[in-house]
Amino acid sequence: MNIFYQLIGFGALIAMGLSYWQNDKRTILLWQVVANLIFAIHYTLLHACSGALCSFFQIVVLLLFLLQEKFNWSKLVTAIPIVAVFLLIAVVTYETPVTVLPIVASLAALLPFFQSRQRVIQVAGIASGLSWLAYVIAVRSYSGMVTESVLTIITAASLLKKESRKP
C-alpha cells in the first residue's frame, strides 16, 4: 500500500509543478491548493500528522493571502491568526522534534509575505525547503524528498548566481 501512498505524493508534485507554469495568479493558487490537498492526503496516509495538518492549513493560508490582497487587509492582521494556527498545530501534533519541522518550514515560508527583498525571499525558501526535506526524509515521503530537494537546489542556485555577480 505504501507504493500507492507514494504515487499520491507524486501527484501532488505534478500539481505543484503545474502551478508554476500558469499565467495568472488565481490559476497558480488553484493548482497550489490542489497540490496542498493532495500532499495533505499523502501525509495522512503516511501517518505524518504535522505534515498533513500543515499542508491542509496551507490551503487556508493561500486563500487568506488572496483575500488579504483583494480586500487590502493589514498583513499583520492576516498573519497573526496564521502563525497562531501553526503554533497550535505544533502543540497538537508534537511527538518528537521532527514533528515541528513542517511548522518551522511553514513559518519560514511566511517571511516573504512581509517584505519584498529577493534575497530574503530566497533565504526563507531555502530554510523552508531544508526543514521540509528533513521532515520528509524522516517520514519516508519519496515524493516529498524529490520536491523539496529540487526546489531547494533551484532556490540556492538562483541565490548563488546573484551572489557571484556582485563585484
Side-chain angles (χ1 to χ4, degrees):
M1 199 54 96
N2 197 345
I3 292 172
F4 176 67
Y5 302 165
Q6 298 300 336
L7 290 174
I8 290 172
F10 281 107
L13 169 60
I14 291 167
M16 187 63 74
L18 287 172
S19 76
Y20 295 112
W21 288 89
Q22 304 308 309
N23 292 326
D24 64 283
K25 189 173 187 171
R26 290 186 83 129
T27 310
I28 292 169
L29 290 176
L30 175 64
W31 277 105
Q32 290 190 355
V33 164
V34 169
N36 276 290
L37 180 59
I38 297 170
F39 267 128
I41 293 166
H42 169 70
Y43 292 129
T44 299
L45 293 171
L46 291 176
H47 303 288
C49 293
S50 60
L53 286 174
C54 283
S55 293
F56 183 73
F57 188 61
Q58 285 293 353
I59 296 168
V60 176
V61 170
L62 289 168
L63 296 175
L64 283 174
F65 285 165
L66 189 62
L67 291 172
Q68 183 276 329
E69 190 175 278
K70 182 177 181 177
F71 295 111
N72 203 24
W73 296 338
S74 162
K75 289 182 179 183
L76 188 60
V77 170
T78 307
I80 288 173
I82 292 170
V83 171
V85 170
F86 278 124
L87 293 176
L88 179 63
I89 291 170
V91 169
V92 170
T93 63
Y94 184 84
E95 293 174 3
T96 67
V98 169
T99 60
V100 178
L101 290 172
I103 290 93
V104 170
S106 297
L107 291 174
L110 287 177
L111 189 57
F113 181 61
F114 293 101
Q115 57 80 53
S116 59
R117 288 187 19 219
Q118 186 173 9
R119 183 176 178 171
V120 174
I121 292 169
Q122 290 168 317
V123 170
I126 292 167
S128 176
L130 290 175
S131 296
W132 270 111
L133 182 59
Y135 179 75
V136 297
I137 289 170
V139 300
R140 294 181 181 91
S141 168
Y142 303 117
S143 57
M145 290 177 206
V146 171
T147 302
E148 297 309 328
S149 295
V150 169
L151 290 177
T152 303
I153 289 168
I154 288 170
T155 305
S158 71
L159 180 65
L160 291 173
K161 182 179 177 184
K162 291 191 184 307
E163 288 297 316
S164 66
R165 287 187 188 169
K166 288 186 178 180

PDB file of all heavy atoms in Angstrom, residues 7-26:
ATOM      1  N   LEU A   7       2.644   7.257  -4.796  1.00  0.00           N
ATOM      2  CA  LEU A   7       2.095   7.746  -6.060  1.00  0.00           C
ATOM      3  C   LEU A   7       1.208   8.961  -5.843  1.00  0.00           C
ATOM      4  O   LEU A   7       1.215   9.899  -6.656  1.00  0.00           O
ATOM      5  CB  LEU A   7       1.336   6.631  -6.781  1.00  0.00           C
ATOM      6  CG  LEU A   7       2.187   5.508  -7.361  1.00  0.00           C
ATOM      7  CD1 LEU A   7       1.300   4.393  -7.921  1.00  0.00           C
ATOM      8  CD2 LEU A   7       3.140   6.034  -8.425  1.00  0.00           C
ATOM      9  N   ILE A   8       0.453   8.952  -4.762  1.00  0.00           N
ATOM     10  CA  ILE A   8      -0.372  10.117  -4.428  1.00  0.00           C
ATOM     11  C   ILE A   8       0.533  11.338  -4.222  1.00  0.00           C
ATOM     12  O   ILE A   8       0.251  12.432  -4.713  1.00  0.00           O
ATOM     13  CB  ILE A   8      -1.235   9.836  -3.179  1.00  0.00           C
ATOM     14  CG1 ILE A   8      -2.318   8.814  -3.532  1.00  0.00           C
ATOM     15  CG2 ILE A   8      -1.845  11.124  -2.627  1.00  0.00           C
ATOM     16  CD1 ILE A   8      -3.107   8.316  -2.337  1.00  0.00           C
ATOM     17  N   GLY A   9       1.632  11.136  -3.509  1.00  0.00           N
ATOM     18  CA  GLY A   9       2.582  12.231  -3.290  1.00  0.00           C
ATOM     19  C   GLY A   9       3.163  12.758  -4.586  1.00  0.00           C
ATOM     20  O   GLY A   9       3.345  13.968  -4.751  1.00  0.00           O
ATOM     21  N   PHE A  10       3.450  11.855  -5.527  1.00  0.00           N
ATOM     22  CA  PHE A  10       3.968  12.311  -6.821  1.00  0.00           C
ATOM     23  C   PHE A  10       2.890  13.062  -7.605  1.00  0.00           C
ATOM     24  O   PHE A  10       3.199  13.963  -8.384  1.00  0.00           O
ATOM     25  CB  PHE A  10       4.561  11.154  -7.616  1.00  0.00           C
ATOM     26  CG  PHE A  10       5.940  10.779  -7.153  1.00  0.00           C
ATOM     27  CD1 PHE A  10       6.155   9.611  -6.444  1.00  0.00           C
ATOM     28  CD2 PHE A  10       7.022  11.618  -7.396  1.00  0.00           C
ATOM     29  CE1 PHE A  10       7.424   9.273  -5.991  1.00  0.00           C
ATOM     30  CE2 PHE A  10       8.294  11.298  -6.945  1.00  0.00           C
ATOM     31  CZ  PHE A  10       8.496  10.123  -6.247  1.00  0.00           C
ATOM     32  N   GLY A  11       1.625  12.735  -7.377  1.00  0.00           N
ATOM     33  CA  GLY A  11       0.534  13.520  -7.964  1.00  0.00           C
ATOM     34  C   GLY A  11       0.555  14.952  -7.443  1.00  0.00           C
ATOM     35  O   GLY A  11       0.337  15.905  -8.189  1.00  0.00           O
ATOM     36  N   ALA A  12       0.841  15.098  -6.156  1.00  0.00           N
ATOM     37  CA  ALA A  12       0.955  16.437  -5.568  1.00  0.00           C
ATOM     38  C   ALA A  12       2.133  17.189  -6.174  1.00  0.00           C
ATOM     39  O   ALA A  12       2.033  18.388  -6.463  1.00  0.00           O
ATOM     40  CB  ALA A  12       1.111  16.331  -4.048  1.00  0.00           C
ATOM     41  N   LEU A  13       3.233  16.482  -6.376  1.00  0.00           N
ATOM     42  CA  LEU A  13       4.414  17.085  -7.000  1.00  0.00           C
ATOM     43  C   LEU A  13       4.070  17.596  -8.402  1.00  0.00           C
ATOM     44  O   LEU A  13       4.435  18.719  -8.768  1.00  0.00           O
ATOM     45  CB  LEU A  13       5.545  16.056  -7.069  1.00  0.00           C
ATOM     46  CG  LEU A  13       6.768  16.400  -7.916  1.00  0.00           C
ATOM     47  CD1 LEU A  13       7.453  17.648  -7.420  1.00  0.00           C
ATOM     48  CD2 LEU A  13       7.733  15.223  -7.925  1.00  0.00           C
ATOM     49  N   ILE A  14       3.340  16.808  -9.169  1.00  0.00           N
ATOM     50  CA  ILE A  14       2.935  17.219 -10.515  1.00  0.00           C
ATOM     51  C   ILE A  14       2.034  18.458 -10.456  1.00  0.00           C
ATOM     52  O   ILE A  14       2.220  19.415 -11.208  1.00  0.00           O
ATOM     53  CB  ILE A  14       2.244  16.054 -11.258  1.00  0.00           C
ATOM     54  CG1 ILE A  14       3.275  14.969 -11.568  1.00  0.00           C
ATOM     55  CG2 ILE A  14       1.540  16.534 -12.525  1.00  0.00           C
ATOM     56  CD1 ILE A  14       2.668  13.645 -12.010  1.00  0.00           C
ATOM     57  N   ALA A  15       1.071  18.453  -9.524  1.00  0.00           N
ATOM     58  CA  ALA A  15       0.176  19.611  -9.391  1.00  0.00           C
ATOM     59  C   ALA A  15       0.956  20.862  -8.999  1.00  0.00           C
ATOM     60  O   ALA A  15       0.700  21.953  -9.519  1.00  0.00           O
ATOM     61  CB  ALA A  15      -0.913  19.316  -8.362  1.00  0.00           C
ATOM     62  N   MET A  16       1.935  20.708  -8.088  1.00  0.00           N
ATOM     63  CA  MET A  16       2.749  21.861  -7.690  1.00  0.00           C
ATOM     64  C   MET A  16       3.562  22.362  -8.879  1.00  0.00           C
ATOM     65  O   MET A  16       3.660  23.568  -9.112  1.00  0.00           O
ATOM     66  CB  MET A  16       3.670  21.485  -6.528  1.00  0.00           C
ATOM     67  CG  MET A  16       4.424  22.658  -5.936  1.00  0.00           C
ATOM     68  SD  MET A  16       3.380  23.938  -5.201  1.00  0.00           S
ATOM     69  CE  MET A  16       2.873  23.136  -3.703  1.00  0.00           C
ATOM     70  N   GLY A  17       4.144  21.430  -9.635  1.00  0.00           N
ATOM     71  CA  GLY A  17       4.900  21.820 -10.824  1.00  0.00           C
ATOM     72  C   GLY A  17       4.037  22.547 -11.838  1.00  0.00           C
ATOM     73  O   GLY A  17       4.456  23.558 -12.409  1.00  0.00           O
ATOM     74  N   LEU A  18       2.825  22.059 -12.046  1.00  0.00           N
ATOM     75  CA  LEU A  18       1.910  22.716 -12.983  1.00  0.00           C
ATOM     76  C   LEU A  18       1.552  24.129 -12.531  1.00  0.00           C
ATOM     77  O   LEU A  18       1.307  25.000 -13.361  1.00  0.00           O
ATOM     78  CB  LEU A  18       0.637  21.881 -13.154  1.00  0.00           C
ATOM     79  CG  LEU A  18       0.794  20.605 -13.979  1.00  0.00           C
ATOM     80  CD1 LEU A  18      -0.487  19.771 -13.914  1.00  0.00           C
ATOM     81  CD2 LEU A  18       1.148  20.925 -15.421  1.00  0.00           C
ATOM     82  N   SER A  19       1.529  24.358 -11.229  1.00  0.00           N
ATOM     83  CA  SER A  19       1.171  25.690 -10.731  1.00  0.00           C
ATOM     84  C   SER A  19       2.148  26.750 -11.231  1.00  0.00           C
ATOM     85  O   SER A  19       1.762  27.881 -11.501  1.00  0.00           O
ATOM     86  CB  SER A  19       1.097  25.710  -9.203  1.00  0.00           C
ATOM     87  OG  SER A  19       2.390  25.716  -8.610  1.00  0.00           O
ATOM     88  N   TYR A  20       3.422  26.383 -11.362  1.00  0.00           N
ATOM     89  CA  TYR A  20       4.443  27.350 -11.784  1.00  0.00           C
ATOM     90  C   TYR A  20       4.400  27.648 -13.273  1.00  0.00           C
ATOM     91  O   TYR A  20       5.078  28.564 -13.744  1.00  0.00           O
ATOM     92  CB  TYR A  20       5.831  26.867 -11.372  1.00  0.00           C
ATOM     93  CG  TYR A  20       5.988  26.809  -9.874  1.00  0.00           C
ATOM     94  CD1 TYR A  20       6.114  25.593  -9.213  1.00  0.00           C
ATOM     95  CD2 TYR A  20       5.968  27.965  -9.103  1.00  0.00           C
ATOM     96  CE1 TYR A  20       6.250  25.532  -7.836  1.00  0.00           C
ATOM     97  CE2 TYR A  20       6.098  27.919  -7.724  1.00  0.00           C
ATOM     98  CZ  TYR A  20       6.238  26.708  -7.101  1.00  0.00           C
ATOM     99  OH  TYR A  20       6.357  26.650  -5.741  1.00  0.00           O
ATOM    100  N   TRP A  21       3.613  26.908 -14.023  1.00  0.00           N
ATOM    101  CA  TRP A  21       3.501  27.131 -15.463  1.00  0.00           C
ATOM    102  C   TRP A  21       2.259  27.935 -15.837  1.00  0.00           C
ATOM    103  O   TRP A  21       2.009  28.177 -17.020  1.00  0.00           O
ATOM    104  CB  TRP A  21       3.472  25.789 -16.201  1.00  0.00           C
ATOM    105  CG  TRP A  21       4.809  25.138 -16.192  1.00  0.00           C
ATOM    106  CD1 TRP A  21       5.310  24.292 -15.254  1.00  0.00           C
ATOM    107  CD2 TRP A  21       5.842  25.311 -17.153  1.00  0.00           C
ATOM    108  NE1 TRP A  21       6.586  23.918 -15.568  1.00  0.00           N
ATOM    109  CE2 TRP A  21       6.940  24.530 -16.746  1.00  0.00           C
ATOM    110  CE3 TRP A  21       5.951  26.052 -18.338  1.00  0.00           C
ATOM    111  CZ2 TRP A  21       8.124  24.474 -17.460  1.00  0.00           C
ATOM    112  CZ3 TRP A  21       7.129  25.974 -19.052  1.00  0.00           C
ATOM    113  CH2 TRP A  21       8.195  25.202 -18.611  1.00  0.00           C
ATOM    114  N   GLN A  22       1.485  28.351 -14.852  1.00  0.00           N
ATOM    115  CA  GLN A  22       0.253  29.090 -15.123  1.00  0.00           C
ATOM    116  C   GLN A  22       0.549  30.563 -15.364  1.00  0.00           C
ATOM    117  O   GLN A  22       1.565  31.084 -14.912  1.00  0.00           O
ATOM    118  CB  GLN A  22      -0.737  28.912 -13.965  1.00  0.00           C
ATOM    119  CG  GLN A  22      -1.053  27.464 -13.657  1.00  0.00           C
ATOM    120  CD  GLN A  22      -1.492  26.665 -14.866  1.00  0.00           C
ATOM    121  OE1 GLN A  22      -2.380  27.061 -15.606  1.00  0.00           O
ATOM    122  NE2 GLN A  22      -0.848  25.522 -15.069  1.00  0.00           N
ATOM    123  N   ASN A  23      -0.377  31.229 -16.042  1.00  0.00           N
ATOM    124  CA  ASN A  23      -0.157  32.621 -16.430  1.00  0.00           C
ATOM    125  C   ASN A  23      -0.757  33.638 -15.470  1.00  0.00           C
ATOM    126  O   ASN A  23      -0.298  34.776 -15.421  1.00  0.00           O
ATOM    127  CB  ASN A  23      -0.731  32.876 -17.831  1.00  0.00           C
ATOM    128  CG  ASN A  23       0.052  32.144 -18.900  1.00  0.00           C
ATOM    129  OD1 ASN A  23       1.260  31.982 -18.788  1.00  0.00           O
ATOM    130  ND2 ASN A  23      -0.632  31.687 -19.927  1.00  0.00           N
ATOM    131  N   ASP A  24      -1.787  33.263 -14.736  1.00  0.00           N
ATOM    132  CA  ASP A  24      -2.396  34.247 -13.842  1.00  0.00           C
ATOM    133  C   ASP A  24      -2.380  33.735 -12.401  1.00  0.00           C
ATOM    134  O   ASP A  24      -2.323  32.534 -12.142  1.00  0.00           O
ATOM    135  CB  ASP A  24      -3.827  34.595 -14.274  1.00  0.00           C
ATOM    136  CG  ASP A  24      -4.756  33.412 -14.183  1.00  0.00           C
ATOM    137  OD1 ASP A  24      -4.691  32.537 -15.073  1.00  0.00           O
ATOM    138  OD2 ASP A  24      -5.545  33.365 -13.224  1.00  0.00           O
ATOM    139  N   LYS A  25      -2.395  34.673 -11.483  1.00  0.00           N
ATOM    140  CA  LYS A  25      -2.235  34.366 -10.068  1.00  0.00           C
ATOM    141  C   LYS A  25      -3.313  33.424  -9.542  1.00  0.00           C
ATOM    142  O   LYS A  25      -3.035  32.517  -8.765  1.00  0.00           O
ATOM    143  CB  LYS A  25      -2.226  35.667  -9.266  1.00  0.00           C
ATOM    144  CG  LYS A  25      -1.864  35.484  -7.829  1.00  0.00           C
ATOM    145  CD  LYS A  25      -1.714  36.822  -7.146  1.00  0.00           C
ATOM    146  CE  LYS A  25      -1.190  36.641  -5.757  1.00  0.00           C
ATOM    147  NZ  LYS A  25      -0.849  37.916  -5.147  1.00  0.00           N
ATOM    148  N   ARG A  26      -4.547  33.632  -9.964  1.00  0.00           N
ATOM    149  CA  ARG A  26      -5.643  32.783  -9.469  1.00  0.00           C
ATOM    150  C   ARG A  26      -5.451  31.321  -9.867  1.00  0.00           C
ATOM    151  O   ARG A  26      -5.687  30.420  -9.074  1.00  0.00           O
ATOM    152  CB  ARG A  26      -6.985  33.308  -9.986  1.00  0.00           C
ATOM    153  CG  ARG A  26      -7.383  34.625  -9.358  1.00  0.00           C
ATOM    154  CD  ARG A  26      -8.753  34.979  -9.814  1.00  0.00           C
ATOM    155  NE  ARG A  26      -9.675  34.262  -8.956  1.00  0.00           N
ATOM    156  CZ  ARG A  26     -10.678  34.824  -8.322  1.00  0.00           C
ATOM    157  NH1 ARG A  26     -10.888  36.093  -8.472  1.00  0.00           N
ATOM    158  NH2 ARG A  26     -11.469  34.117  -7.566  1.00  0.00           N
TER     159      ARG A  26
END
